[in-house]
Short mmCIF file of all heavy atoms in Angstrom, two decimals:
data_model
loop_
_atom_site.label_atom_id
_atom_site.label_comp_id
_atom_site.label_asym_id
_atom_site.label_seq_id
_atom_site.Cartn_x
_atom_site.Cartn_y
_atom_site.Cartn_z
N SER A 388 -168.22 -0.60 -67.76
CA SER A 388 -168.43 -1.13 -69.11
C SER A 388 -167.30 -2.00 -69.57
O SER A 388 -167.39 -2.55 -70.69
CB SER A 388 -168.68 0.00 -70.09
OG SER A 388 -167.47 0.81 -70.21
N THR A 389 -166.24 -2.12 -68.80
CA THR A 389 -165.03 -2.78 -69.22
C THR A 389 -164.33 -2.10 -70.38
O THR A 389 -163.57 -2.72 -71.15
CB THR A 389 -165.14 -4.32 -69.52
OG1 THR A 389 -165.95 -4.49 -70.67
CG2 THR A 389 -165.75 -5.03 -68.35
N SER A 390 -164.63 -0.82 -70.55
CA SER A 390 -163.86 0.09 -71.47
C SER A 390 -163.76 -0.43 -72.93
O SER A 390 -162.70 -0.74 -73.41
CB SER A 390 -162.41 0.28 -70.95
OG SER A 390 -161.73 1.18 -71.73
N PHE A 391 -164.92 -0.38 -73.61
CA PHE A 391 -164.91 -0.53 -75.06
C PHE A 391 -164.15 0.69 -75.70
O PHE A 391 -163.19 0.54 -76.36
CB PHE A 391 -166.30 -0.65 -75.62
CG PHE A 391 -166.94 -1.98 -75.39
CD1 PHE A 391 -166.95 -2.61 -74.18
CD2 PHE A 391 -167.71 -2.55 -76.41
CE1 PHE A 391 -167.59 -3.79 -73.99
CE2 PHE A 391 -168.38 -3.77 -76.23
CZ PHE A 391 -168.31 -4.36 -75.01
N ALA A 392 -164.70 1.86 -75.41
CA ALA A 392 -164.04 3.15 -75.80
C ALA A 392 -163.73 3.24 -77.26
O ALA A 392 -162.77 3.92 -77.66
CB ALA A 392 -162.84 3.39 -74.96
N ASN A 393 -164.49 2.54 -78.12
CA ASN A 393 -164.12 2.46 -79.53
C ASN A 393 -165.35 2.02 -80.31
O ASN A 393 -165.79 0.87 -80.21
CB ASN A 393 -163.01 1.40 -79.68
CG ASN A 393 -162.46 1.29 -81.07
OD1 ASN A 393 -163.16 1.43 -82.08
ND2 ASN A 393 -161.17 1.00 -81.16
N PRO A 394 -165.91 2.87 -81.16
CA PRO A 394 -167.07 2.52 -81.99
C PRO A 394 -166.85 1.33 -82.90
O PRO A 394 -167.74 0.49 -83.03
CB PRO A 394 -167.39 3.78 -82.75
CG PRO A 394 -166.80 4.89 -81.93
CD PRO A 394 -165.58 4.32 -81.29
N ALA A 395 -165.70 1.26 -83.55
CA ALA A 395 -165.45 0.15 -84.46
C ALA A 395 -165.44 -1.17 -83.72
O ALA A 395 -166.05 -2.20 -84.14
CB ALA A 395 -164.15 0.38 -85.23
N VAL A 396 -164.72 -1.22 -82.60
CA VAL A 396 -164.62 -2.42 -81.76
C VAL A 396 -165.99 -2.83 -81.27
O VAL A 396 -166.38 -3.95 -81.20
CB VAL A 396 -163.61 -2.24 -80.62
CG1 VAL A 396 -163.78 -3.38 -79.65
CG2 VAL A 396 -162.22 -2.20 -81.20
N THR A 397 -166.80 -1.81 -80.90
CA THR A 397 -168.15 -2.05 -80.38
C THR A 397 -169.00 -2.74 -81.46
O THR A 397 -169.72 -3.73 -81.18
CB THR A 397 -168.81 -0.74 -79.99
OG1 THR A 397 -168.04 -0.09 -78.96
CG2 THR A 397 -170.22 -0.97 -79.43
N ILE A 398 -168.93 -2.24 -82.66
CA ILE A 398 -169.66 -2.82 -83.80
C ILE A 398 -169.17 -4.29 -84.00
O ILE A 398 -170.02 -5.18 -84.16
CB ILE A 398 -169.53 -1.99 -85.08
CG1 ILE A 398 -170.22 -0.66 -84.89
CG2 ILE A 398 -170.03 -2.75 -86.31
CD1 ILE A 398 -169.98 0.33 -86.01
N GLY A 399 -167.88 -4.48 -84.07
CA GLY A 399 -167.31 -5.81 -84.32
C GLY A 399 -167.74 -6.78 -83.26
O GLY A 399 -168.04 -7.94 -83.58
N ARG A 400 -167.79 -6.39 -82.01
CA ARG A 400 -168.12 -7.29 -80.93
C ARG A 400 -169.61 -7.62 -80.88
O ARG A 400 -170.02 -8.55 -80.17
CB ARG A 400 -167.67 -6.65 -79.59
CG ARG A 400 -166.15 -6.71 -79.45
CD ARG A 400 -165.67 -5.89 -78.29
NE ARG A 400 -166.04 -6.40 -76.96
CZ ARG A 400 -165.46 -6.00 -75.85
NH1 ARG A 400 -164.53 -5.04 -75.82
NH2 ARG A 400 -165.85 -6.49 -74.69
N ALA A 401 -170.44 -6.97 -81.67
CA ALA A 401 -171.83 -7.37 -81.78
C ALA A 401 -172.03 -8.62 -82.66
O ALA A 401 -173.01 -9.28 -82.59
CB ALA A 401 -172.64 -6.21 -82.38
N PHE A 402 -170.97 -8.98 -83.38
CA PHE A 402 -171.01 -10.08 -84.34
C PHE A 402 -170.68 -11.42 -83.63
O PHE A 402 -170.68 -12.44 -84.30
CB PHE A 402 -170.12 -9.86 -85.49
CG PHE A 402 -170.64 -8.92 -86.52
CD1 PHE A 402 -170.65 -7.53 -86.26
CD2 PHE A 402 -171.09 -9.34 -87.73
CE1 PHE A 402 -171.21 -6.64 -87.18
CE2 PHE A 402 -171.63 -8.49 -88.67
CZ PHE A 402 -171.66 -7.14 -88.41
N THR A 403 -170.41 -11.43 -82.36
CA THR A 403 -170.04 -12.66 -81.69
C THR A 403 -170.81 -12.84 -80.38
O THR A 403 -170.78 -11.93 -79.51
CB THR A 403 -168.48 -12.64 -81.39
OG1 THR A 403 -168.19 -13.83 -80.66
CG2 THR A 403 -168.08 -11.46 -80.62
N ASP A 404 -171.46 -13.93 -80.22
CA ASP A 404 -172.20 -14.21 -79.00
C ASP A 404 -171.33 -14.99 -78.03
O ASP A 404 -171.59 -16.11 -77.63
CB ASP A 404 -173.46 -15.03 -79.31
CG ASP A 404 -174.40 -15.09 -78.13
OD1 ASP A 404 -174.38 -14.22 -77.25
OD2 ASP A 404 -175.30 -15.98 -78.13
N THR A 405 -170.25 -14.31 -77.61
CA THR A 405 -169.27 -14.90 -76.69
C THR A 405 -169.00 -13.89 -75.54
O THR A 405 -169.69 -12.90 -75.42
CB THR A 405 -167.94 -15.23 -77.41
OG1 THR A 405 -167.44 -14.03 -77.99
CG2 THR A 405 -168.18 -16.25 -78.53
N PHE A 406 -168.01 -14.20 -74.71
CA PHE A 406 -167.68 -13.40 -73.54
C PHE A 406 -167.59 -11.94 -73.82
O PHE A 406 -168.04 -11.12 -73.02
CB PHE A 406 -166.40 -13.95 -72.94
CG PHE A 406 -165.96 -13.16 -71.72
CD1 PHE A 406 -166.45 -13.47 -70.46
CD2 PHE A 406 -164.95 -12.23 -71.82
CE1 PHE A 406 -166.03 -12.77 -69.30
CE2 PHE A 406 -164.50 -11.55 -70.65
CZ PHE A 406 -165.06 -11.79 -69.43
N ALA A 407 -166.99 -11.53 -74.89
CA ALA A 407 -166.67 -10.15 -75.21
C ALA A 407 -167.80 -9.48 -76.04
O ALA A 407 -167.65 -8.30 -76.37
CB ALA A 407 -165.38 -10.00 -75.94
N GLY A 408 -168.90 -10.17 -76.30
CA GLY A 408 -169.91 -9.62 -77.17
C GLY A 408 -170.75 -8.50 -76.57
O GLY A 408 -170.76 -8.26 -75.36
N ILE A 409 -171.49 -7.83 -77.43
CA ILE A 409 -172.41 -6.80 -77.03
C ILE A 409 -173.62 -6.92 -77.92
O ILE A 409 -173.53 -7.03 -79.15
CB ILE A 409 -171.84 -5.37 -77.09
CG1 ILE A 409 -172.88 -4.34 -76.72
CG2 ILE A 409 -171.21 -5.09 -78.43
CD1 ILE A 409 -172.27 -2.89 -76.59
N ALA A 410 -174.83 -6.93 -77.35
CA ALA A 410 -176.05 -7.06 -78.12
C ALA A 410 -176.19 -5.89 -79.12
O ALA A 410 -175.89 -4.77 -78.74
CB ALA A 410 -177.27 -7.11 -77.21
N PRO A 411 -176.62 -6.15 -80.35
CA PRO A 411 -176.79 -5.03 -81.32
C PRO A 411 -177.61 -3.89 -80.81
O PRO A 411 -177.31 -2.75 -81.16
CB PRO A 411 -177.45 -5.79 -82.51
CG PRO A 411 -176.93 -7.18 -82.44
CD PRO A 411 -176.91 -7.50 -80.93
N ALA A 412 -178.61 -4.17 -79.99
CA ALA A 412 -179.49 -3.12 -79.48
C ALA A 412 -178.70 -2.20 -78.56
O ALA A 412 -179.12 -1.06 -78.37
CB ALA A 412 -180.68 -3.73 -78.77
N SER A 413 -177.63 -2.70 -77.96
CA SER A 413 -176.83 -1.85 -77.06
C SER A 413 -175.78 -1.08 -77.76
O SER A 413 -175.21 -0.15 -77.18
CB SER A 413 -176.13 -2.78 -76.03
OG SER A 413 -177.09 -3.50 -75.26
N VAL A 414 -175.52 -1.34 -79.03
CA VAL A 414 -174.43 -0.70 -79.78
C VAL A 414 -174.68 0.80 -79.90
O VAL A 414 -173.74 1.62 -79.66
CB VAL A 414 -174.20 -1.37 -81.13
CG1 VAL A 414 -173.30 -0.55 -81.99
CG2 VAL A 414 -173.64 -2.79 -80.96
N PRO A 415 -175.85 1.25 -80.38
CA PRO A 415 -176.03 2.76 -80.55
C PRO A 415 -175.81 3.53 -79.27
O PRO A 415 -175.16 4.57 -79.31
CB PRO A 415 -177.49 2.89 -81.04
CG PRO A 415 -177.83 1.55 -81.66
CD PRO A 415 -177.07 0.51 -80.84
N GLY A 416 -176.28 3.02 -78.15
CA GLY A 416 -176.04 3.74 -76.91
C GLY A 416 -174.55 3.82 -76.55
O GLY A 416 -174.06 4.89 -76.13
N PHE A 417 -173.86 2.72 -76.72
CA PHE A 417 -172.42 2.74 -76.45
C PHE A 417 -171.67 3.75 -77.34
O PHE A 417 -170.85 4.55 -76.87
CB PHE A 417 -171.82 1.32 -76.63
CG PHE A 417 -171.62 0.60 -75.32
CD1 PHE A 417 -172.66 0.50 -74.41
CD2 PHE A 417 -170.41 -0.04 -75.02
CE1 PHE A 417 -172.46 -0.18 -73.24
CE2 PHE A 417 -170.24 -0.72 -73.85
CZ PHE A 417 -171.25 -0.80 -72.95
N ILE A 418 -172.01 3.74 -78.64
CA ILE A 418 -171.31 4.64 -79.58
C ILE A 418 -171.65 6.11 -79.22
O ILE A 418 -170.78 6.98 -79.27
CB ILE A 418 -171.67 4.29 -81.02
CG1 ILE A 418 -171.08 2.95 -81.39
CG2 ILE A 418 -171.17 5.39 -81.97
CD1 ILE A 418 -171.45 2.49 -82.81
N GLY A 419 -172.90 6.36 -78.93
CA GLY A 419 -173.26 7.70 -78.53
C GLY A 419 -172.49 8.20 -77.32
O GLY A 419 -172.03 9.34 -77.26
N MET A 420 -172.35 7.31 -76.31
CA MET A 420 -171.57 7.69 -75.11
C MET A 420 -170.09 7.85 -75.44
O MET A 420 -169.43 8.69 -74.80
CB MET A 420 -171.78 6.65 -74.00
CG MET A 420 -173.18 6.62 -73.47
SD MET A 420 -173.82 8.16 -72.85
CE MET A 420 -174.93 8.69 -74.18
N GLN A 421 -169.55 7.06 -76.33
CA GLN A 421 -168.19 7.21 -76.75
C GLN A 421 -167.90 8.54 -77.40
O GLN A 421 -166.90 9.20 -77.17
CB GLN A 421 -167.80 6.01 -77.68
CG GLN A 421 -167.72 4.70 -76.94
CD GLN A 421 -167.88 3.48 -77.87
OE1 GLN A 421 -168.04 3.71 -79.10
NE2 GLN A 421 -167.84 2.33 -77.31
N LEU A 422 -168.83 8.99 -78.24
CA LEU A 422 -168.69 10.31 -78.87
C LEU A 422 -168.77 11.40 -77.83
O LEU A 422 -167.99 12.38 -77.92
CB LEU A 422 -169.81 10.50 -79.90
CG LEU A 422 -169.75 9.55 -81.14
CD1 LEU A 422 -170.98 9.74 -82.00
CD2 LEU A 422 -168.51 9.76 -81.92
N ILE A 423 -169.62 11.32 -76.85
CA ILE A 423 -169.72 12.29 -75.79
C ILE A 423 -168.35 12.25 -75.01
O ILE A 423 -167.81 13.35 -74.65
CB ILE A 423 -170.91 12.04 -74.85
CG1 ILE A 423 -172.19 12.26 -75.61
CG2 ILE A 423 -170.79 12.87 -73.57
CD1 ILE A 423 -173.45 11.86 -74.83
#
Side-chain angles (χ1 to χ4, degrees):
S388 63
T389 65
S390 184
F391 283 44
N393 186 327
V396 168
T397 302
I398 292 171
R400 288 169 66 166
F402 283 73
T403 177
D404 191 21
T405 58
F406 178 81
I409 177 173
S413 301
V414 169
F417 259 50
I418 292 178
M420 294 304 103
Q421 290 158 0
L422 294 174
I423 292 173

